[in-house]
Amino acid sequence: MVESQQHQQFIRHAVEAADAAILAAQEAEHELQGAITQADPTAIQRAQAKLGSAKRQVAEAAAQIRSFDGDRYGQQLQQTIEQLQQAKQDLDVSEDHYHTPKQVR
């Protein structure tokens, strides 16, 4: 019984980490869009750094979620996995959408 409760707690923490990663991804995308709108190179670089950080956070959360037994907890975690995949795709699109031009000498 205690082992089951501990396992449920690990799953809950993994889902919370995934939710935080998804939120970080959304915030990074929003910040990048704002920086692009303002045409502020410093803000764009800062937003791109947040985008990279959010991508790592999403990847780590996805790996953690996938470490659980899919047969036993699959239904419970499937929605979170799908949300993480969507967040990763959105980050990739945002990253591909805008690249800081390299300085020409």
Side-chain angles (χ1 to χ4, degrees), residues 17-101:
D19 290 342
I22 292 166
L23 182 59
Q26 291 169 343
E27 289 174 353
E29 290 176 90
H30 180 72
E31 187 171 327
L32 180 61
Q33 290 303 318
I36 291 169
T37 301
Q38 295 173 1
D40 180 350
T42 304
I44 291 170
Q45 286 180 332
R46 193 172 41 249
Q48 286 176 319
K50 281 191 176 182
L51 209 63
S53 176
K55 282 182 77 169
R56 284 188 298 279
Q57 197 175 353
V58 166
E60 290 170 5
Q64 186 177 18
I65 291 286
R66 287 190 180 103
S67 72
F68 294 105
D69 181 5
D71 293 334
R72 186 172 176 190
Y73 300 103
Q75 186 67 24
Q76 183 179 359
L77 301 176
Q78 186 60 37
Q79 182 179 4
T80 302
I81 290 169
E82 290 171 6
Q83 290 172 335
L84 286 166
Q85 289 172 338
Q86 184 63 48
K88 182 189 179 312
Q89 290 173 353
D90 292 346
L91 287 169
D92 289 342
V93 167
S94 291
E95 190 173 57
D96 290 343
H97 177 72
Y98 191 84
H99 294 284
T100 305

